[in-house]
Every structure is written in structure tokens, then in C-alpha cells.
Amino acid sequence: MPTVSLAHELKPYKSLSNEELYERIATIKRELGDRLLILGHHYQQDEVVELADLRGDSYQLSQLAADSDDCRVIAFCGVHFMAETADILANRPEKLAERSGERVNVILPDMAAGCSMADMAAIEQIEDAWDELGEVIDTDDITPVTYINSAASLKAFVGRHGGIVCTSSNAKAALEWAFARRSRVMFFPDQHLGRNTSLGMDITNDQMPVWDPFASELGGNTEEALKQSKVILWKGHCSVHQMFRPEHVEMFREKHPGIKILVHPECPQDVFELADEYGSTGKIIQTVKNAPAGSKWAIGTELHLVNRLKQQHPEQEIHFLSPVVCMCATMYRIDLAHLAWSLENYRDGTPTNLIEVDDETAKWSLVALQRMLEVK
Ligand code: 13P
Ligand code: SF4
């Protein structure tokens, strides 16, 4: 009788020490060699970052997944939309043809690692909003732009409707791309990234109505406001970045003369406008790296990244721009236990937590993602 291998249960891994888990993951890395690629987002815990082969912001991680040649499995230490994006890009038709049809498996070590912002826009809500908008304005003249922090179904919607995906590092270029084609934009799901970027392009707040998917009609807007709009923003936000407040900026400036405020563009407008510098997580890291010794920073982004910057740059004075702890609880779900468990299951022929976007969604998402990769 053929033997059937049983999947490893997660529970026993939770009682192993970090040293033991680290050793097990290191062993799999040696065994699988170039066939395994561990990608890690900058918000991951230090012990996970240490084991990642490559690290980046959302744009860089998409590029790494798109360019991966030798690997056959990507363990994505990040959140669900990132793993979906990696699956779409690593398994696009030209890559599949190069590998004679062999797929790259994408593993998300904990399936509960989602993104609360991405969850604020469901595809049914986007489709309903689009149809309702069509009763007031010409949707053929709107370019839909989705932040990469969204489900693949939204990226596919955008691809089908002549739109583009953007990340925090190319949002301005993506909006320029969008306006070169049509006179209006619908931007989802992060109202703050959409607003902060548009304000830098001479678009004013009264040209940016916010669409509330729970409002009874027209997203809570008047027909007039929608007709005058340049950018229709979605009522979504990041629960981590909305914790930073203007009073935190004022407090740091008062207590630490000469300090510079460096924030992620997912922060609300009132904080963003007070900041000295802003950028994606990759840009934040680069900005600190390039600063002279003795520089003082208060940084408004996820806690794990700010703490790592503090450790890596003792020659600078780095503070977290909030008196309260704001960390991304879903990114934090990826720990060594989940990583070891999912990798051992993969190695032992009982793969688990595979992220595979269906062909139709992948096809249209790819259209919008390729535009994103071309626009910087
Ligand atoms: P970036 O790493 O692209 O700046 O994005 C930050 C973020 O919130 C990811 O969800
Ligand atoms: Fe989503 Fe915010 Fe976490 Fe990024 S930091 S994954 S936007 S909840």
C-alpha cells in the first residue's frame, strides 16, 4: 500500500525555542538552496528579517518576485496581498513558458496575515460604487488606481478598466500616468495616500470627495461634488498610520530642537503636511542611512522598522513618532513557528498555506501590475 504522509501540525512548533526554530529553517534553506526564496517586508520581526534572503518595500518585493529565476517556492513573510502579487508576477505566462509550465509555489506562513486597509474595500463594493458613479459621471473618463494594499480582485478590476496599481513609492508617477489618459481618477483603498499624493499635484481637497461604501447613496456625496471631482477617494485607511497625530509632531519639535519628522504617506494629511520628509519604507530606510551622524529623527511608520533603524544607527538619534505602540498586528503574525511549520510541510510533500490566484483574476491583475512596474 502506498504510504500517505501526514501534514505537520502547527501546535508543536509553538513550544519550540527560537534557536531551535531558527536551526530548522536554516536546515531547510541549505537543503532547498536556490529553489527557496524567503522574501521579507521591512515591518517583519527581527528574527524573521534575519532569515529572509531579500527584504524590501512593496514595490521592491514585487520586483524581486517578478525577477526570480531559479526559485520554485517563495515563502512570503509579509501580508496576504503581497503573497498574491508575488504569485501573479512569478507565474505570469512568460515566466511559466521559461520554466516549461512549472509553477513557483507561494507560501504565506500564516493565512491570517491580512491587511485591515485592504479589507476596507471589497470587490462588490468597488463594482457597486463604479455603477453608481456611472449614473452621475462618465466612467469611461475615470482611471481607477488601486494601492497595492488591496485584494487581487481589485487589481483585476483596475486592469480591466484601463487602470494601474501603485505603491507608496510610485503613487505620484502612477497618478500622472492615470491623468495622461483620462481626466478623473478613482483611488482606493487608502484615502490618505491618494489625498497626500494628489495635494502635491495641485489638486485641492474640494476636488477630492471621499466615497463611503456604507453611505446610502453616492458614497455620501452630492452629484455636484462628484461632477467637480478630480480624484474620488475611497474611505479606507491604515490602522497603524492613522495613530500618528499632529500633536506628536509638535511635542517632538518642542522637546528636541532640530529634529526632523519622517513619515510614511499612509499618515493622515494633517501629520503628512507637518513632516519634513516622507516616503515608502524603502525610502525611509535610505533617508536615515544617508543622513550624517548626529541627525535627529521622529519617524512615523510601523514600530518594528523604527526600532530596527534605532539599533542599526546608534550614531543618530531616532524616536518613534507616537507615545503609544502602533504595530501592524497582521504582519506580526508571521513568526518563526509559522515559517518553520510551513517550510517543513512544503519540504515533506504536504504543502500548506499556498496562495494561488485564479487564472482570470491573475490575467487582469497582471495588466495593472505590469503598468505599476513600468512607472516609477
Ligand atoms: P511600503 O513598504 O510599500 O512603503 O508599504 C508600507 C505598508 O504599509 C505595507 O503594507
Ligand atoms: Fe496594512 Fe497598515 Fe499593516 Fe501595511 S501597516 S499591512 S497598510 S494594516
Side-chain angles (χ1 to χ4, degrees):
M1 244 181 40
T3 50
V4 180
S5 15
L6 286 178
H8 302 289
E9 298 277 340
L10 173 63
K11 206 167 164 206
Y13 291 79
K14 293 194 166 174
S15 48
L16 298 177
S17 69
N18 268 2
E19 291 69 34
E20 212 165 336
L21 290 164
Y22 186 97
E23 239 346 281
R24 284 182 176 218
I25 297 165
T27 302
I28 297 192
K29 286 180 69 153
R30 280 193 298 276
E31 287 168 359
L32 295 183
D34 287 347
R35 291 179 67 81
L36 167 66
L37 177 63
I38 302 183
L39 293 180
H41 186 265
H42 294 307
Y43 291 163
Q44 291 292 304
Q45 311 174 46
D46 285 348
E47 50 262 41
V48 172
V49 160
E50 225 177 283
L51 281 160
D53 298 302
L54 299 166
R55 197 162 34 112
D57 62 21
S58 307
Y59 186 95
Q60 293 160 338
L61 289 169
S62 305
Q63 252 176 348
L64 292 168
D67 294 346
S68 57
D69 278 328
D70 301 323
C71 82
R72 293 296 177 270
V73 57
I74 295 175
F76 210 115
C77 300
V79 289
H80 194 271
F81 72 81
M82 296 178 178
E84 279 188 333
T85 302
D87 175 53
I88 295 163
L89 291 169
N91 292 308
R92 64 193 188 278
E94 70 186 85
K95 281 283 173 185
L96 281 178
E98 279 171 24
R99 295 193 299 265
S100 312
E102 204 184 339
R103 284 188 75 81
V104 170
N105 289 293
V106 178
I107 293 172
L108 181 64
D110 184 345
M111 291 301 238
C115 163
S116 53
M117 176 201 286
D119 293 342
M120 289 176 196
I123 185 61
E124 298 76 17
Q125 292 174 317
I126 296 287
E127 283 169 347
D128 287 351
W130 194 257
D131 290 346
E132 220 184 324
L133 270 172
E135 291 164 18
V136 180
I137 49 182
D138 178 10
T139 47
D140 286 343
D141 197 31
I142 306 178
T143 309
V145 179
T146 190
Y147 189 23
I148 194 166
N149 298 32
S150 56
S153 52
L154 271 67
K155 297 182 176 87
F157 175 92
V158 159
R160 264 192 216 102
H161 290 86
I164 187 168
V165 177
C166 78
T167 73
S168 57
S169 68
N170 76 346
K172 182 161 186 263
L175 282 184
E176 283 165 356
W177 182 97
F179 280 120
R181 282 153 184 83
R182 298 174 192 160
S183 65
R184 263 189 253 267
V185 161
M186 183 173 184
F187 190 100
F188 38 79
D190 185 15
Q191 60 171 303
H192 300 303
L193 178 66
R195 183 180 297 112
N196 293 333
T197 310
S198 304
L199 288 167
M201 297 168 71
D202 290 333
I203 297 167
T204 55
N205 265 322
D206 55 9
Q207 296 171 314
M208 289 191 271
V210 178
W211 188 279
D212 177 356
F214 297 103
S216 55
E217 56 182 50
L218 295 181
N221 298 288
T222 60
E223 280 195 30
E224 208 39 45
L226 294 171
K227 282 179 182 154
Q228 281 172 13
S229 67
K230 286 290 288 173
V231 178
I232 299 158
L233 299 168
W234 192 259
K235 195 167 181 217
H237 62 265
C238 165
S239 42
V240 177
H241 291 91
Q242 75 155 8
M243 302 289 279
F244 300 108
R245 307 295 323 136
E247 48 277 23
H248 303 152
V249 175
E250 281 149 22
M251 188 267 283
F252 272 107
R253 288 212 166 118
E254 213 173 282
K255 277 199 180 160
H256 304 270
I259 200 162
K260 286 209 171 144
I261 311 295
L262 172 56
V263 301
H264 194 278
E266 286 175 14
C267 287
Q269 181 190 346
D270 50 6
V271 172
F272 182 82
E273 284 185 336
L274 288 174
D276 298 289
E277 300 200 33
Y278 72 92
S280 69
T281 54
K283 168 105 183 282
I284 289 173
I285 292 169
Q286 219 37 53
T287 304
V288 173
K289 226 182 210 171
N290 295 341
S295 300
K296 290 192 250 177
W297 299 103
I299 305 181
T301 196
E302 209 270 348
L303 185 64
H304 288 89
L305 172 55
V306 179
N307 281 343
R308 190 171 314 118
L309 284 169
K310 264 190 216 176
Q311 280 163 16
Q312 289 173 342
H313 294 280
E315 81 289 0
Q316 301 187 36
E317 188 184 314
I318 296 175
H319 302 266
F320 183 59
L321 179 65
S322 171
V324 293
V325 172
C326 355
M327 52 170 244
C328 179
T330 47
M331 287 265 184
Y332 189 67
R333 296 192 73 99
I334 308 292
D335 55 14
L336 294 191
H338 282 88
L339 186 56
W341 166 71
S342 55
L343 286 177
E344 289 195 350
N345 267 316
Y346 179 81
R347 180 198 58 195
D348 298 340
T350 52
T352 184
N353 290 23
L354 294 182
I355 301 292
E356 200 171 329
V357 178
D358 70 83
D359 290 348
E360 187 63 13
T361 307
K363 178 177 117 184
W364 286 108
S365 299
L366 180 62
V367 171
L369 281 165
Q370 279 179 320
R371 290 176 183 147
M372 171 193 90
L373 289 173
E374 281 157 20
V375 165
K376 189 74 176 155

